[in-house]
C-alpha cells in the first residue's frame, strides 16, 4: 500500500505543489511525509483507489495549503524580521522617489533664484555704485587700530539696559517726547562716548568667541555662538540722544550714535548691519526733534535722508542674496569683477556659515554618486577676494574645516529647531550621511533655503 | 452541520481541546473533532494542518514521529504546558463571548415576540 500511494501521479502532483511553497528542505520532507501518512490513514478507512482524488480534493487548493503551511511555520521573530525588512525596503523606495521629487523641486527653486538675481542685477549695481561713496560702509582689513570688542564683547550679555528691558520697551515708542522712566535716568552711558576711541568691532578677536579661533580651536556650531545682545545698542542710543536733546547739546550725541552705527556695521554680521541702519534712523529722528526744539538749524548736521536709509537697508539685505553659491554666476559677476559692494563682508559671512553644512551634503562619498561641490567653489573665491576687505576669521576657519563644523550642527540636533522638529532634523541629517540620493536632495534643499529670501525685497516691489 | 463561517476563530480552541486528552496524529484529530461534535463539525485537512503547524511554531503543542509495526511513520501531536494555558484562556474567552451573544440574542428575540 505504501509504495503505490507514494508514486500515485495525483498524490505526487499534489505533494509537489504543496511542498513547492515551502522553502526549508527539512520542513518540506516532513510535510510530505505527514500528508502521505494522512492520505494513507484515510485510504485505509475507505479502501478504494478511486477515492484518492476525492481525498486530495479535501485538502483544498494545494498552492494555498503550501502557502498557509509556510506562514504557519514562521516564528514571531521571523515575522517581525520579515515585516521590518519589508518596511525598510518600502521606506528606502519612498525616500528614493521623494528625494528625487524634492531634488527636482529645489533645483528649480535655485534656478528661479538665479534668474531673479540676473533680472535685478543692473538695479543692484546702480544702487551699489550710489552707496559706495558713503565712508560709513567702507570695508577694509587695513588701518584697523582699535577693536571695540575688547570693551564690548564681555559686556554684551548683561548690562544695565538689558536688565531694564520692560521699561525700555514701553518708552522707545516715543523716546524723543515721552518722559524718561526713573530707572533709565540712572543708567550710565559713559561707554557710548568711550566707544569713539575704537575704529572697528571684532566679535572674535576677544571675549567669549575668541576661544573658537585658531588652529587648535575646537569646532563649534556656528549657529550657537554667543551672539551679542545687539538690542541694547539701539536702546542705549535712544537714551543717549534723548539726554543730548534734553541738555540741548545734541551734536556730540549724534556723532556718538553715528560712530556706534559704524562699529555695529564692522562686526561683519547681517544683524550688525541692520542695527547700524536702525541707529541711523534714530539719529535722523533726533536731528528732526533737535530742529523742532530749536537746538540746531537744518543743515547743521549731515544726516541721511529717509529714502537713502531705506535704500541702504534694502541693498545690505539684497547683497546677502547675491553673495551665494545658489547662483555662482551672478555672485562672481557682483563680487569678483566690480568695486567691492557694501554689505559684502556680512553677506559672505552668511554664505560661509550655510556653506559649512551644505558642503557636507554635496560631496561625493560613494562611487557613481553626483558630486556637487563645484557649486560651492564660489564661496572659496569670494573669501579669497574678500581678504583686503573683510576679516571673517572664524568663517574662513569654518569653511576649511567644514566637515568638523557640520558635525557639530548635526550633533546639536540642528539647534535652530527645537523639540520634535529638532529631532526630526537631526535624523534627517544623519540619514543624509548614508543615503546618496537623500543626501543630494538635502544638499540642494540647504542651498535653496539659504538665500533666495534675501531678494524678495526687490520682488515684492515689482 | 455547523456553518464553517461560525467556526472561524474557534478551530484553534477545538484542536487544543481534542489534544487535551491524549496525543494524536492529524487524521486522528480530524476524526476526533467529528466525533466530539456528533458529526456536526467537518474539519477540512486544508484548515487543520496549517493550524497544527502554527500551534507547534508557537510551542502550544509539540510533535514526535512514531512508527508502529507495519505502519507508515506518523507525526503525533501533544499539548504542552503553554498549550494547556492557551486552551484555558481560549475556553474562558469563548464562555464570555457565548454569554454576551446569548444575552443579546435573548433580548432581540424578546423584542420580536
Amino acid at each position: 500500500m505504501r509504495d503505490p500511494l507514494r508514486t500515485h501521479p495525483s498524490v505526487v502532483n499534489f505533494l509537489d505543489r504543496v511542498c513547492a511553497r515551502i522553502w526549508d528542505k527539512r520542513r518540506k520532507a516532513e510535510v510530505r511525509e505527514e500528508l502521505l501518512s494522512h492520505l494513507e490513514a484515510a485510504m485505509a478507512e475507505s479502501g478504494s483507489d478511486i477515492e484518492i482524488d476525492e481525498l486530495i480534493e479535501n485538502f483544498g487548493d494545494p498552492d494555498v495549503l503550501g502557502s498557509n503551511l509556510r506562514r504557519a511555520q514562521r516564528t514571531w521573530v521571523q515575522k517581525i524580521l520579515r515585516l521590518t525588512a519589508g518596511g525598510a525596503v518600502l521606506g528606502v523606495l519612498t525616500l528614493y522617489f521623494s528625494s528625487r521629487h524634492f531634488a527636482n523641486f529645489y533645483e528649480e527653486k535655485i534656478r528661479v533664484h538665479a534668474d531673479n538675481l540676473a533680472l535685478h542685477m543692473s538695479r543692484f549695481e546702480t544702487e551699489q555704485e550710489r552707496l559706495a561713496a558713503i565712508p560709513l560702509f567702507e570695508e577694509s582689513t587695513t588701518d584697523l587700530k582699535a577693536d571695540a570688542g575688547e570693551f564690548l564683547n564681555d559686556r554684551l550679555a548683561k548690562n544695565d539696559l538689558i536688565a531694564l528691558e520692560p521699561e525700555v520697551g514701553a518708552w522707545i515708542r516715543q523716546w524723543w517726547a515721552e518722559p524718561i522712566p526713573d530707572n533709565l535716568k540712572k543708567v550710565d552711558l559713559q561707554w557710548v562716548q568711550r566707544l569713539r576711541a575704537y575704529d572697528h568691532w571684532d566679535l572674535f578677536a576677544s571675549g567669549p568667541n575668541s576661544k573658537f579661533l585658531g588652529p587648535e580651536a575646537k569646532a563649534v556650531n556656528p549657529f550657537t555662538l554667543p551672539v551679542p545682545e545687539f538690542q541694547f545698542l539701539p536702546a542705549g542710543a535712544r537714551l543717549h540722544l534723548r539726554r543730548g536733546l534734553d541738555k540741548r547739546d545734541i551734536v556730540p550725541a549724534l556723532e556718538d550714535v553715528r560712530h556706534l552705527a559704524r562699529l555695529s556695521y564692522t562686526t561683519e554680521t547681517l544683524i550688525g548691519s541692520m542695527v547700524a541702519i536702525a541707529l541711523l534712523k534714530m539719529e535722523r529722528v533726533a536731528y528732526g526733534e533737535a530742529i523742532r526744539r530749536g537746538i540746531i538749524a537744518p543743515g547743521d548736521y549731515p544726516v541721511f535722508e529717509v529714502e537713502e536709509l531705506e535704500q541702504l537697508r534694502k541693498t545690505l539685505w539684497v547683497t546677502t542674496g547675491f553673495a551665494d553659491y545658489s547662483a555662482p554666476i551672478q555672485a562672481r559677476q557682483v563680487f569678483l569683477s566690480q568695486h567691492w559692494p557694501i554689505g559684502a563682508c556680512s553677506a559672505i559671512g552668511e554664505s560661509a556659515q550655510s556653506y559649512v553644512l551644505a558642503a557636507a551634503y554635496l560631496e561625493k562619498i560613494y562611487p557613481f554618486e553626483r558630486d556637487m561641490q563645484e557649486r560651492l567653489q564660489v564661496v572659496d573665491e569670494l573669501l579669497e577676494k574678500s581678504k583686503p576687505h573683510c576679516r571673517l576669521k572664524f568663517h574662513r576657519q569654518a569653511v576649511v574645516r567644514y566637515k568638523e563644523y557640520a558635525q557639530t550642527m548635526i550633533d546639536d540636533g540642528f539647534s535652530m529647531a527645537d523639540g520634535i522638529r529638532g529631532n526630526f532634523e537631526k535624523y534627517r541629517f544623519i540619514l543624509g550621511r548614508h543615503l546618496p540620493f537623500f543626501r543630494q536632495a538635502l544638499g540642494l534643499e540647504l542651498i535653496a533655503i539659504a538665500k533666495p529670501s534675501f531678494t524678495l525685497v526687490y520682488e515684492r516691489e515689482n | 452541520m455547523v456553518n464553517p463561517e461560525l467556526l472561524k476563530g474557534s478551530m484553534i480552541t477545538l484542536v487544543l481541546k481534542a489534544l487535551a486528552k491524549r496525543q494524536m496524529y492529524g487524521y486522528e484529530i480530524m476524526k476526533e473533532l467529528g466525533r466530539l461534535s456528533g458529526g456536526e463539525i467537518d474539519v477540512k485537512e486544508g484548515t487543520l494542518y496549517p493550524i497544527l503547524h502554527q500551534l507547534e511554531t508557537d510551542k502550544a503543542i509539540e510533535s514526535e514521529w512514531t512508527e508502529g509495526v507495519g505502519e507508515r511513520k506518523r507525526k503525533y501531536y501533544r499539548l504542552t504546558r503553554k498549550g494547556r494555558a492557551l486552551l484555558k484562556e481560549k475556553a474562558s474567552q469563548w464562555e464570555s463571548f457565548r454569554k454576551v451573544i446569548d444575552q443579546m440574542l435573548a433580548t432581540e428575540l424578546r423584542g420580536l415576540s
Side-chain angles (χ1 to χ4, degrees):
Chain A
M1 191 75 187
R2 279 167 88 168
D3 287 339
L5 190 66
R6 195 178 280 274
T7 55
H8 191 287
S10 300
V11 174
V12 169
N13 178 50
F14 166 69
L15 293 174
D16 285 349
R17 280 180 65 184
V18 171
C19 293
R21 304 279 167 156
I22 300 162
W23 299 328
D24 184 274
K25 272 188 179 176
R26 192 179 59 83
R27 292 269 188 195
K28 206 186 268 256
E30 269 192 22
V31 165
R32 200 175 188 94
E33 203 59 37
E34 185 174 23
L35 298 186
L36 266 172
S37 138
H38 183 102
L39 288 170
E40 186 199 50
M43 282 294 296
E45 213 173 86
S46 62
S48 164
D49 189 57
I50 302 163
E51 290 179 6
I52 284 183
D53 287 338
E54 277 178 43
L55 289 173
I56 289 171
E57 267 176 34
N58 286 341
F59 281 89
D61 186 334
D63 300 328
V64 174
L65 176 60
S67 298
N68 288 342
L69 286 171
R70 188 187 66 232
R71 270 196 286 275
Q73 288 160 359
R74 238 180 249 150
T75 62
W76 276 110
V77 175
Q78 286 170 321
K79 282 176 187 167
I80 288 167
L81 284 176
R82 200 180 158 81
L83 272 174
T84 309
V89 169
L90 194 68
V92 168
L93 283 174
T94 308
L95 271 179
Y96 175 74
F97 287 109
S98 60
S99 297
R100 274 184 55 181
H101 168 77
F102 282 113
N104 292 338
F105 171 76
Y106 288 121
E107 272 192 330
E108 176 64 10
K109 203 169 170 186
I110 292 164
R111 193 190 59 72
V112 169
H113 172 57
D115 288 350
N116 279 333
L117 289 184
L119 196 68
H120 298 301
M121 179 70 77
S122 79
R123 173 184 171 180
F124 178 72
E125 285 178 343
T126 309
E127 288 182 353
Q128 277 285 352
E129 272 171 39
R130 277 184 57 198
L131 300 170
I134 304 171
L136 189 83
F137 296 100
E138 269 177 19
E139 289 173 322
S140 170
T141 52
T142 56
D143 301 328
L144 297 179
K145 293 187 183 77
D147 175 14
E150 290 170 9
F151 176 77
L152 280 173
N153 289 346
D154 285 326
R155 292 172 173 78
L156 292 177
K158 48 178 182 179
N159 61 66
D160 293 353
L161 283 165
I162 290 171
L164 296 170
E165 206 170 335
E167 279 93 331
V168 177
W171 173 72
I172 57 170
R173 282 186 281 275
Q174 293 274 317
W175 59 270
W176 58 93
E178 286 289 315
I180 301 173
D182 289 343
N183 287 342
L184 287 183
K185 281 179 186 165
K186 297 169 199 156
V187 172
D188 178 10
L189 288 176
Q190 292 286 318
W191 57 269
V192 181
Q193 286 154 300
R194 283 185 61 185
L195 289 175
R196 296 283 288 275
Y198 301 99
D199 62 358
H200 71 287
W201 178 4
D202 193 320
L203 296 174
F204 291 92
S206 56
N209 286 328
S210 61
K211 64 174 179 284
F212 302 122
L213 271 190
E216 301 300 317
K218 220 175 113 185
V220 61
N221 181 347
F223 291 103
T224 55
L225 288 172
V227 179
E229 295 281 358
F230 275 104
Q231 74 266 29
F232 94 95
L233 293 181
R238 285 186 185 100
L239 195 53
H240 191 58
L241 289 167
R242 176 59 189 273
R243 285 176 183 173
L245 284 169
D246 292 351
K247 282 193 291 180
R248 303 186 67 78
D249 186 19
I250 190 65
V251 174
L254 291 170
E255 287 169 349
D256 288 342
V257 170
R258 173 74 59 98
H259 188 71
L260 199 55
R262 168 68 186 164
L263 290 179
S264 182
Y265 178 73
T266 60
T267 55
E268 299 182 338
T269 60
L270 187 57
I271 184 170
S273 298
M274 292 300 119
V275 167
I277 301 295
L279 291 171
L280 294 176
K281 284 182 177 174
M282 283 165 214
E283 182 198 56
R284 168 96 208 157
V285 170
Y287 168 81
E289 179 67 9
I291 292 170
R292 198 188 65 78
R293 292 189 189 187
I295 302 167
I296 54 172
D300 280 357
Y301 183 81
V303 284
F304 288 93
E305 294 303 319
V306 174
E307 298 76 25
E308 201 174 13
L309 287 172
E310 191 50 28
Q311 194 191 359
L312 270 167
R313 189 188 64 78
K314 279 182 194 168
T315 307
L316 288 171
W317 191 257
V318 175
T319 306
T320 314
F322 273 94
D324 194 32
Y325 46 83
S326 54
I329 296 168
Q330 287 74 17
R332 286 189 178 101
Q333 198 174 334
V334 167
F335 289 87
L336 305 182
S337 59
Q338 65 157 0
H339 62 81
W340 193 243
I342 69 158
C345 295
S346 68
I348 295 171
E350 290 281 327
S351 271
Q353 204 155 304
S354 62
Y355 170 110
V356 166
L357 190 58
Y361 291 93
L362 291 173
E363 67 182 342
K364 183 162 82 176
I365 296 178
Y366 301 108
F368 311 113
E369 198 178 337
R370 196 171 148 204
D371 190 340
M372 294 189 282
Q373 290 270 327
E374 82 281 359
R375 285 178 186 265
L376 302 170
Q377 182 67 33
V378 71
V379 177
D380 293 326
E381 293 168 27
L382 296 187
L383 280 169
E384 185 58 34
K385 181 81 190 290
S386 75
K387 277 180 180 169
H389 309 281
C390 317
R391 300 178 308 278
L392 293 173
K393 292 177 210 157
F394 173 79
H395 297 88
R396 293 179 203 282
Q397 176 178 297
V399 161
V400 172
R401 292 165 55 192
Y402 71 90
K403 281 188 187 170
E404 293 169 62
Y405 282 76
Q407 194 56 50
T408 63
M409 293 188 211
I410 297 162
D411 291 343
D412 279 2
F414 200 65
S415 58
M416 292 180 81
D418 298 323
I420 294 170
R421 202 185 138 219
N423 282 327
F424 174 70
E425 294 290 353
K426 181 177 181 174
Y427 291 115
R428 219 156 64 95
F429 282 92
I430 291 171
L431 196 62
R433 298 295 300 160
H434 304 290
L435 291 178
F437 51 85
F438 192 75
R439 177 169 55 254
Q440 290 181 359
L442 196 57
L444 288 167
E445 181 185 342
L446 289 171
I447 293 177
I449 61 170
K451 292 297 178 65
S453 60
F454 287 96
T455 46
L456 288 178
V457 174
Y458 280 177
E459 283 156 42
R460 282 195 192 116
E461 284 178 7
N462 296 333
Chain B
M1 194 68 76
V2 175
N3 184 344
E5 283 299 310
L6 291 176
L7 276 176
K8 277 183 185 171
S10 307
M11 277 307 295
I12 290 174
T13 316
L14 296 178
V15 170
L16 289 170
K17 177 66 185 168
L19 288 170
K21 270 194 204 165
R22 60 184 172 88
Q23 64 171 22
M24 279 184 256
Y25 57 92
Y27 185 76
E28 208 177 358
I29 296 169
M30 219 173 70
K31 289 286 154 192
E32 177 68 3
L33 289 175
R35 192 188 65 76
L36 284 173
S37 65
E40 288 297 313
I41 292 176
D42 179 25
V43 183
K44 293 289 178 199
E45 288 86 338
T47 307
L48 177 68
Y49 282 99
I51 288 174
L52 285 171
H53 286 220
Q54 183 63 62
L55 287 169
E56 193 180 13
T57 305
D58 296 344
K59 300 194 185 324
I61 60 176
E62 57 191 9
S63 66
E64 188 183 13
W65 284 95
T66 311
E67 194 169 9
V69 180
E71 282 184 337
R72 178 179 293 278
K73 277 202 298 184
R74 278 174 179 157
K75 193 181 182 186
Y76 279 86
Y77 294 96
R78 62 174 164 269
L79 228 52
T80 61
R81 184 179 290 183
K82 190 178 171 186
R84 286 190 195 284
L86 182 63
L87 174 59
K88 204 172 165 184
E89 186 190 324
K90 292 263 181 201
S92 161
Q93 283 171 0
W94 173 258
E95 188 56 26
S96 306
F97 175 70
R98 190 185 61 77
K99 274 185 191 165
V100 172
I101 296 294
D102 282 352
Q103 193 181 338
M104 288 173 75
L105 288 177
T107 313
E108 279 295 305
L109 290 172
R110 270 200 301 276
L112 288 172
S113 60

